[in-house]
Amino acid sequence: METKNIMIVGVGGQGSLLASKLLGRLLLNAGYDVKVSEVHGMSQRGGSVVTYVRYGDKVASPVIDTGEADYIVSFELLEAARWLSYLKPDGKIITNTQQIDPMPVITGAAAYPDNLVSAMKAAGADIDAFDALTLAKAAGSSKAVNIVLMGRLSKYFALPEDAWDKAIAESVPQKFLELNKKAFALGKSAE
């Protein structure tokens, strides 16, 4: 199998690292060679966090280059637009529609861009945009946005649901397992 590339992008504190850990476990359990790497850009101050998950028969490098991502899973709308150039021509963006103001917007130096989903579609991107934050709150915690997004990503994989259940159980604390299973199911079944 050729190497597949998934980028997980978000803002510090949104749980993108846990999502990449879960995805890495899932793919490793499925028998793939997996490489996961992280780039933190002032993540503790609301900066970008990017993780690369690459899998296949044999993966040589953990880094994804421009135009190589099969999937970009974005926890925040502006982050989806920021990393659009990494998407393959036939790739897919799965994005939360939540908007978190970056520092230039907070200070009044810039405005949060309007119509980002339309702009990305106009640029040729295939986008699955939905309100993951509302679904996470419905599951019991706004912090479960990451698992809601993994549920959505699972719609595009041929791996069985029990494989995802196992990876979730291996990645989250036991006391939050049921909440995360509910978040995953809501992300997977949402329209």
Side-chain angles (χ1 to χ4, degrees):
M1 171 188 173
E2 71 175 278
T3 300
K4 296 288 186 181
N5 304 308
I6 304 167
M7 289 181 68
I8 299 175
V9 300
V11 174
Q14 287 193 292
S16 58
L17 299 182
L18 175 63
S20 64
K21 178 180 164 185
L22 186 160
L23 194 54
R25 283 181 193 264
L26 170 80
L27 296 165
L28 198 60
N29 290 345
Y32 294 109
D33 185 29
V34 181
K35 299 279 189 291
V36 177
S37 64
E38 307 161 355
V39 178
H40 306 252
M42 299 292 284
S43 60
Q44 293 181 345
R45 296 185 180 180
S48 293
V49 176
V50 181
T51 60
Y52 305 115
V53 179
R54 304 188 73 215
Y55 69 99
D57 291 333
K58 183 69 181 163
V59 179
S61 167
V63 178
I64 299 171
D65 259 332
T66 303
E68 289 186 345
D70 294 283
Y71 295 95
I72 295 176
V73 180
S74 177
F75 287 49
E76 196 277 331
L77 200 50
L78 187 56
E79 291 299 316
R82 183 187 318 263
W83 297 99
L84 180 62
S85 64
Y86 281 76
L87 191 67
K88 278 183 173 178
D90 62 343
K92 185 167 201 73
I93 294 178
I94 299 165
T95 186
N96 182 8
T97 54
Q98 182 181 2
Q99 298 180 5
I100 299 173
D101 291 343
M103 193 53 69
V105 174
I106 292 170
T107 63
Y112 197 99
D114 290 329
N115 305 315
L116 285 172
V117 171
S118 297
M120 289 186 282
K121 284 182 179 176
D126 180 7
I127 299 181
D128 181 354
F130 70 109
D131 183 357
L133 180 59
T134 295
L135 296 177
K137 289 177 181 175
S141 173
S142 61
K143 294 180 179 178
V145 163
N146 53 359
I147 305 301
V148 170
L149 286 163
M150 290 297 99
R152 188 59 143 235
L153 178 64
S154 75
K155 293 174 65 169
Y156 303 104
F157 279 67
L159 296 173
E161 189 156 329
D162 62 339
W164 286 91
D165 288 344
K166 182 176 187 266
I168 292 169
E170 291 173 347
S171 303
V172 303
Q174 181 65 33
K175 65 183 176 182
F176 298 120
L177 183 57
E178 287 309 312
L179 184 154
N180 282 291
K181 283 184 171 181
K182 185 175 180 183
F184 182 86
L186 288 173
K188 185 171 184 172
S189 64
E191 294 298 318

